[in-house]
Amino acid sequence: MKTTQTDTKTKLIDAAMELIWKGSYGSVSVDDICRAADVKKGSFYHFFPSKVDLAIAVMEESYTLLQPELDSIFSPGTEPLARFERLADAIYEFQAQTAAKYHQVCGCPFTSLGSEMAGQEAGIRAKFADIAHRRERYYVNALRDLVALGQLPETTDVQVKAQEIYAYIVGQLVIARIENDLELLKRDLKPGLLKILGAGNRTEKAA
């Protein structure tokens, strides 16, 4: 079967996504990516002027794959607090699956790339900020519903609270990756998230 240009580009993105996520941007060369994708180096530069451009494409593709799950988790038909509980469960399950596949806790691919390269590459910094804003919009909508239900004070700045939630989740994923310990996420992510939302007793009641 003839390989199309779309197939080649997808293979490069998929290979880079896996290699960078398992290791780091700096530890992966263009040659490594081409070898893993079984693509010639000339084809790499046909699609991507540089490794940075590929990394930005990887970040966008990672979010594209994630978005349908976020749409489901944050469905307006789901009770607002339950949306955040489902988010915590989904994060843990995804990390457990990738840890089983790669034999290590991989954390957040956006954060890994952003923390490593944002200070050096404006494009990666901008893409990280863009993805963060897109994710925070889900949180903002759920937070507004919590305010409407009287489960958060009317004075709550939902934008600031959404940023706090995003930062908390990112921090938990970074710690789990550093410690290489999934149990940290299982133990701390959901209770901490609910505490930020003023519903810390919800997990205690469930227990």
Side-chain angles (χ1 to χ4, degrees), residues 76-144:
T78 302
E79 189 261 329
L81 270 178
R83 295 175 213 171
F84 289 104
E85 290 178 309
R86 290 176 62 189
L87 175 65
D89 290 337
I91 290 171
Y92 173 77
E93 289 301 323
F94 182 65
Q95 291 296 318
Q97 290 170 12
T98 55
K101 181 178 180 180
Y102 300 129
H103 309 293
Q104 68 186 69
V105 178
C106 292
C108 173
F110 312 120
T111 303
S112 298
L113 253 173
S115 61
E116 182 183 0
M117 296 303 300
Q120 303 172 48
E121 297 292 346
I124 289 178
R125 182 168 61 251
K127 178 55 67 175
F128 179 82
D130 172 50
I131 289 171
H133 292 324
R134 284 190 255 174
R135 293 190 67 158
E136 286 169 9
R137 280 199 292 268
Y138 288 99
Y139 308 161
V140 165
N141 289 335
L143 290 166
R144 284 175 178 154

Side-chain angles (χ1 to χ4, degrees), residues 45-104:
Y45 288 110
H46 173 74
F47 293 107
F48 302 105
S50 69
K51 192 171 71 162
V52 169
D53 293 288
L54 175 57
I56 292 170
V58 164
M59 295 173 80
E60 181 61 35
E61 178 65 15
S62 296
Y63 184 81
T64 299
L65 294 173
L66 175 64
Q67 188 172 353
E69 186 166 16
L70 289 174
D71 288 341
S72 175
I73 289 170
F74 285 92
S75 167
T78 302
E79 189 261 329
L81 270 178
R83 295 175 213 171
F84 289 104
E85 290 178 309
R86 290 176 62 189
L87 175 65
D89 290 337
I91 290 171
Y92 173 77
E93 289 301 323
F94 182 65
Q95 291 296 318
Q97 290 170 12
T98 55
K101 181 178 180 180
Y102 300 129
H103 309 293
Q104 68 186 69

Side-chain angles (χ1 to χ4, degrees), residues 19 24-35 44 51 54:
L19 290 172
S24 69
Y25 178 90
S27 69
V28 177
S29 67
V30 170
D31 287 333
D32 293 331
I33 294 166
C34 291
R35 196 159 38 245
F44 177 99
K51 192 171 71 162
L54 175 57

